[in-house]
mmCIF file with all atom_site columns, all heavy atoms in Angstrom:
data_model
loop_
_atom_site.group_PDB
_atom_site.id
_atom_site.type_symbol
_atom_site.label_atom_id
_atom_site.label_alt_id
_atom_site.label_comp_id
_atom_site.label_asym_id
_atom_site.label_entity_id
_atom_site.label_seq_id
_atom_site.pdbx_PDB_ins_code
_atom_site.Cartn_x
_atom_site.Cartn_y
_atom_site.Cartn_z
_atom_site.occupancy
_atom_site.B_iso_or_equiv
_atom_site.pdbx_formal_charge
_atom_site.auth_seq_id
_atom_site.auth_comp_id
_atom_site.auth_asym_id
_atom_site.auth_atom_id
_atom_site.pdbx_PDB_model_num
ATOM 1   N N   . TYR A 1 4   ? 8.800  0.876   -10.526 1.00 0.00 ? 269 TYR A N   1
ATOM 2   C CA  . TYR A 1 4   ? 7.426  0.627   -10.931 1.00 0.00 ? 269 TYR A CA  1
ATOM 3   C C   . TYR A 1 4   ? 7.355  0.307   -12.426 1.00 0.00 ? 269 TYR A C   1
ATOM 4   O O   . TYR A 1 4   ? 6.625  -0.540  -12.855 1.00 0.00 ? 269 TYR A O   1
ATOM 5   C CB  . TYR A 1 4   ? 6.556  1.864   -10.667 1.00 0.00 ? 269 TYR A CB  1
ATOM 6   C CG  . TYR A 1 4   ? 6.053  1.973   -9.266  1.00 0.00 ? 269 TYR A CG  1
ATOM 7   C CD1 . TYR A 1 4   ? 6.894  1.802   -8.193  1.00 0.00 ? 269 TYR A CD1 1
ATOM 8   C CD2 . TYR A 1 4   ? 4.733  2.251   -9.013  1.00 0.00 ? 269 TYR A CD2 1
ATOM 9   C CE1 . TYR A 1 4   ? 6.423  1.916   -6.905  1.00 0.00 ? 269 TYR A CE1 1
ATOM 10  C CE2 . TYR A 1 4   ? 4.258  2.369   -7.734  1.00 0.00 ? 269 TYR A CE2 1
ATOM 11  C CZ  . TYR A 1 4   ? 5.109  2.201   -6.678  1.00 0.00 ? 269 TYR A CZ  1
ATOM 12  O OH  . TYR A 1 4   ? 4.625  2.319   -5.410  1.00 0.00 ? 269 TYR A OH  1
ATOM 13  N N   . GLU A 1 55  ? 5.798  -1.551  3.481   1.00 0.00 ? 320 GLU A N   1
ATOM 14  C CA  . GLU A 1 55  ? 5.010  -1.631  2.246   1.00 0.00 ? 320 GLU A CA  1
ATOM 15  C C   . GLU A 1 55  ? 5.385  -2.879  1.461   1.00 0.00 ? 320 GLU A C   1
ATOM 16  O O   . GLU A 1 55  ? 6.549  -3.265  1.407   1.00 0.00 ? 320 GLU A O   1
ATOM 17  C CB  . GLU A 1 55  ? 5.276  -0.396  1.391   1.00 0.00 ? 320 GLU A CB  1
ATOM 18  C CG  . GLU A 1 55  ? 4.506  -0.386  0.074   1.00 0.00 ? 320 GLU A CG  1
ATOM 19  C CD  . GLU A 1 55  ? 4.876  0.806   -0.793  1.00 0.00 ? 320 GLU A CD  1
ATOM 20  O OE1 . GLU A 1 55  ? 5.913  0.746   -1.476  1.00 0.00 ? 320 GLU A OE1 1
ATOM 21  O OE2 . GLU A 1 55  ? 4.134  1.785   -0.770  1.00 0.00 ? 320 GLU A OE2 1
ATOM 22  N N   . TYR A 1 56  ? 4.370  -3.490  0.879   1.00 0.00 ? 321 TYR A N   1
ATOM 23  C CA  . TYR A 1 56  ? 4.595  -4.549  -0.106  1.00 0.00 ? 321 TYR A CA  1
ATOM 24  C C   . TYR A 1 56  ? 3.932  -4.117  -1.409  1.00 0.00 ? 321 TYR A C   1
ATOM 25  O O   . TYR A 1 56  ? 2.777  -3.665  -1.410  1.00 0.00 ? 321 TYR A O   1
ATOM 26  C CB  . TYR A 1 56  ? 4.004  -5.884  0.356   1.00 0.00 ? 321 TYR A CB  1
ATOM 27  C CG  . TYR A 1 56  ? 4.057  -6.926  -0.751  1.00 0.00 ? 321 TYR A CG  1
ATOM 28  C CD1 . TYR A 1 56  ? 5.241  -7.585  -1.027  1.00 0.00 ? 321 TYR A CD1 1
ATOM 29  C CD2 . TYR A 1 56  ? 2.942  -7.192  -1.541  1.00 0.00 ? 321 TYR A CD2 1
ATOM 30  C CE1 . TYR A 1 56  ? 5.316  -8.502  -2.063  1.00 0.00 ? 321 TYR A CE1 1
ATOM 31  C CE2 . TYR A 1 56  ? 3.003  -8.107  -2.574  1.00 0.00 ? 321 TYR A CE2 1
ATOM 32  C CZ  . TYR A 1 56  ? 4.195  -8.766  -2.826  1.00 0.00 ? 321 TYR A CZ  1
ATOM 33  O OH  . TYR A 1 56  ? 4.269  -9.662  -3.863  1.00 0.00 ? 321 TYR A OH  1
ATOM 34  N N   . GLN A 1 59  ? 4.109  -5.805  -9.306  1.00 0.00 ? 324 GLN A N   1
ATOM 35  C CA  . GLN A 1 59  ? 3.712  -5.487  -10.673 1.00 0.00 ? 324 GLN A CA  1
ATOM 36  C C   . GLN A 1 59  ? 3.468  -6.811  -11.391 1.00 0.00 ? 324 GLN A C   1
ATOM 37  O O   . GLN A 1 59  ? 4.376  -7.645  -11.478 1.00 0.00 ? 324 GLN A O   1
ATOM 38  C CB  . GLN A 1 59  ? 4.824  -4.708  -11.379 1.00 0.00 ? 324 GLN A CB  1
ATOM 39  C CG  . GLN A 1 59  ? 4.505  -4.402  -12.835 1.00 0.00 ? 324 GLN A CG  1
ATOM 40  C CD  . GLN A 1 59  ? 5.679  -3.747  -13.551 1.00 0.00 ? 324 GLN A CD  1
ATOM 41  O OE1 . GLN A 1 59  ? 6.825  -3.881  -13.141 1.00 0.00 ? 324 GLN A OE1 1
ATOM 42  N NE2 . GLN A 1 59  ? 5.391  -3.037  -14.616 1.00 0.00 ? 324 GLN A NE2 1
ATOM 43  N N   . PHE A 1 181 ? 23.477 -6.467  -7.424  1.00 0.00 ? 446 PHE A N   1
ATOM 44  C CA  . PHE A 1 181 ? 22.512 -6.622  -6.346  1.00 0.00 ? 446 PHE A CA  1
ATOM 45  C C   . PHE A 1 181 ? 22.048 -5.321  -5.702  1.00 0.00 ? 446 PHE A C   1
ATOM 46  O O   . PHE A 1 181 ? 21.045 -5.312  -5.011  1.00 0.00 ? 446 PHE A O   1
ATOM 47  C CB  . PHE A 1 181 ? 23.100 -7.519  -5.246  1.00 0.00 ? 446 PHE A CB  1
ATOM 48  C CG  . PHE A 1 181 ? 23.388 -8.909  -5.709  1.00 0.00 ? 446 PHE A CG  1
ATOM 49  C CD1 . PHE A 1 181 ? 24.678 -9.354  -5.854  1.00 0.00 ? 446 PHE A CD1 1
ATOM 50  C CD2 . PHE A 1 181 ? 22.338 -9.767  -6.012  1.00 0.00 ? 446 PHE A CD2 1
ATOM 51  C CE1 . PHE A 1 181 ? 24.939 -10.637 -6.282  1.00 0.00 ? 446 PHE A CE1 1
ATOM 52  C CE2 . PHE A 1 181 ? 22.592 -11.057 -6.443  1.00 0.00 ? 446 PHE A CE2 1
ATOM 53  C CZ  . PHE A 1 181 ? 23.901 -11.500 -6.583  1.00 0.00 ? 446 PHE A CZ  1
ATOM 54  N N   . LYS A 1 188 ? 12.685 13.602  -4.849  1.00 0.00 ? 453 LYS A N   1
ATOM 55  C CA  . LYS A 1 188 ? 11.757 14.512  -4.190  1.00 0.00 ? 453 LYS A CA  1
ATOM 56  C C   . LYS A 1 188 ? 10.356 14.197  -4.648  1.00 0.00 ? 453 LYS A C   1
ATOM 57  O O   . LYS A 1 188 ? 10.129 13.892  -5.805  1.00 0.00 ? 453 LYS A O   1
ATOM 58  C CB  . LYS A 1 188 ? 12.133 15.942  -4.559  1.00 0.00 ? 453 LYS A CB  1
ATOM 59  C CG  . LYS A 1 188 ? 11.344 16.985  -3.821  1.00 0.00 ? 453 LYS A CG  1
ATOM 60  C CD  . LYS A 1 188 ? 12.036 18.302  -3.889  1.00 0.00 ? 453 LYS A CD  1
ATOM 61  C CE  . LYS A 1 188 ? 11.125 19.397  -3.350  1.00 0.00 ? 453 LYS A CE  1
ATOM 62  N NZ  . LYS A 1 188 ? 10.663 19.124  -2.005  1.00 0.00 ? 453 LYS A NZ  1
ATOM 63  N N   . ALA B 2 4   ? -6.274 21.188  -3.808  1.00 0.00 ? 45  ALA B N   1
ATOM 64  C CA  . ALA B 2 4   ? -7.192 22.140  -4.423  1.00 0.00 ? 45  ALA B CA  1
ATOM 65  C C   . ALA B 2 4   ? -8.609 21.652  -4.197  1.00 0.00 ? 45  ALA B C   1
ATOM 66  O O   . ALA B 2 4   ? -8.846 20.455  -4.012  1.00 0.00 ? 45  ALA B O   1
ATOM 67  C CB  . ALA B 2 4   ? -6.913 22.273  -5.920  1.00 0.00 ? 45  ALA B CB  1
ATOM 68  N N   . SER B 2 16  ? 5.900  18.040  1.259   1.00 0.00 ? 57  SER B N   1
ATOM 69  C CA  . SER B 2 16  ? 7.064  17.887  0.411   1.00 0.00 ? 57  SER B CA  1
ATOM 70  C C   . SER B 2 16  ? 7.979  16.849  1.052   1.00 0.00 ? 57  SER B C   1
ATOM 71  O O   . SER B 2 16  ? 8.203  16.892  2.262   1.00 0.00 ? 57  SER B O   1
ATOM 72  C CB  . SER B 2 16  ? 7.783  19.234  0.281   1.00 0.00 ? 57  SER B CB  1
ATOM 73  O OG  . SER B 2 16  ? 8.883  19.102  -0.571  1.00 0.00 ? 57  SER B OG  1
ATOM 74  N N   . HIS B 2 25  ? 18.616 -6.055  -4.766  1.00 0.00 ? 66  HIS B N   1
ATOM 75  C CA  . HIS B 2 25  ? 17.902 -6.741  -5.838  1.00 0.00 ? 66  HIS B CA  1
ATOM 76  C C   . HIS B 2 25  ? 18.220 -8.231  -5.742  1.00 0.00 ? 66  HIS B C   1
ATOM 77  O O   . HIS B 2 25  ? 19.375 -8.632  -5.893  1.00 0.00 ? 66  HIS B O   1
ATOM 78  C CB  . HIS B 2 25  ? 18.325 -6.201  -7.208  1.00 0.00 ? 66  HIS B CB  1
ATOM 79  C CG  . HIS B 2 25  ? 18.064 -4.740  -7.376  1.00 0.00 ? 66  HIS B CG  1
ATOM 80  N ND1 . HIS B 2 25  ? 17.079 -4.237  -8.195  1.00 0.00 ? 66  HIS B ND1 1
ATOM 81  C CD2 . HIS B 2 25  ? 18.662 -3.652  -6.806  1.00 0.00 ? 66  HIS B CD2 1
ATOM 82  C CE1 . HIS B 2 25  ? 17.083 -2.916  -8.136  1.00 0.00 ? 66  HIS B CE1 1
ATOM 83  N NE2 . HIS B 2 25  ? 18.031 -2.535  -7.307  1.00 0.00 ? 66  HIS B NE2 1
ATOM 84  N N   . ARG B 2 58  ? 10.440 -1.495  2.269   1.00 0.00 ? 99  ARG B N   1
ATOM 85  C CA  . ARG B 2 58  ? 9.566  -1.764  1.128   1.00 0.00 ? 99  ARG B CA  1
ATOM 86  C C   . ARG B 2 58  ? 10.043 -3.012  0.386   1.00 0.00 ? 99  ARG B C   1
ATOM 87  O O   . ARG B 2 58  ? 11.245 -3.165  0.126   1.00 0.00 ? 99  ARG B O   1
ATOM 88  C CB  . ARG B 2 58  ? 9.629  -0.550  0.197   1.00 0.00 ? 99  ARG B CB  1
ATOM 89  C CG  . ARG B 2 58  ? 8.764  -0.578  -0.999  1.00 0.00 ? 99  ARG B CG  1
ATOM 90  C CD  . ARG B 2 58  ? 8.821  0.810   -1.634  1.00 0.00 ? 99  ARG B CD  1
ATOM 91  N NE  . ARG B 2 58  ? 8.044  0.865   -2.834  1.00 0.00 ? 99  ARG B NE  1
ATOM 92  C CZ  . ARG B 2 58  ? 8.561  0.813   -4.050  1.00 0.00 ? 99  ARG B CZ  1
ATOM 93  N NH1 . ARG B 2 58  ? 9.844  0.697   -4.234  1.00 0.00 ? 99  ARG B NH1 1
ATOM 94  N NH2 . ARG B 2 58  ? 7.781  0.890   -5.107  1.00 0.00 ? 99  ARG B NH2 1
ATOM 95  N N   . GLN B 2 61  ? 7.878  -6.672  -5.955  1.00 0.00 ? 102 GLN B N   1
ATOM 96  C CA  . GLN B 2 61  ? 8.061  -7.863  -6.784  1.00 0.00 ? 102 GLN B CA  1
ATOM 97  C C   . GLN B 2 61  ? 7.474  -7.668  -8.177  1.00 0.00 ? 102 GLN B C   1
ATOM 98  O O   . GLN B 2 61  ? 6.451  -6.990  -8.338  1.00 0.00 ? 102 GLN B O   1
ATOM 99  C CB  . GLN B 2 61  ? 7.378  -9.063  -6.136  1.00 0.00 ? 102 GLN B CB  1
ATOM 100 C CG  . GLN B 2 61  ? 8.116  -9.600  -4.931  1.00 0.00 ? 102 GLN B CG  1
ATOM 101 C CD  . GLN B 2 61  ? 7.557  -10.929 -4.498  1.00 0.00 ? 102 GLN B CD  1
ATOM 102 O OE1 . GLN B 2 61  ? 6.370  -11.054 -4.256  1.00 0.00 ? 102 GLN B OE1 1
ATOM 103 N NE2 . GLN B 2 61  ? 8.414  -11.925 -4.397  1.00 0.00 ? 102 GLN B NE2 1
ATOM 104 N N   . LEU B 2 63  ? 5.763  -9.866  -11.036 1.00 0.00 ? 104 LEU B N   1
ATOM 105 C CA  . LEU B 2 63  ? 5.112  -11.157 -11.228 1.00 0.00 ? 104 LEU B CA  1
ATOM 106 C C   . LEU B 2 63  ? 4.719  -11.310 -12.696 1.00 0.00 ? 104 LEU B C   1
ATOM 107 O O   . LEU B 2 63  ? 4.714  -10.339 -13.449 1.00 0.00 ? 104 LEU B O   1
ATOM 108 C CB  . LEU B 2 63  ? 3.853  -11.254 -10.347 1.00 0.00 ? 104 LEU B CB  1
ATOM 109 C CG  . LEU B 2 63  ? 4.028  -10.891 -8.868  1.00 0.00 ? 104 LEU B CG  1
ATOM 110 C CD1 . LEU B 2 63  ? 2.682  -10.872 -8.163  1.00 0.00 ? 104 LEU B CD1 1
ATOM 111 C CD2 . LEU B 2 63  ? 4.958  -11.875 -8.205  1.00 0.00 ? 104 LEU B CD2 1
#
Side-chain angles (χ1 to χ4, degrees):
Chain A
Y269 277 48
E320 180 184 81
Y321 172 79
Q324 177 186 23
F446 297 110
K453 186 162 170 56
Chain B
S57 182
H66 300 251
R99 183 171 178 258
Q102 286 191 305
L104 310 173

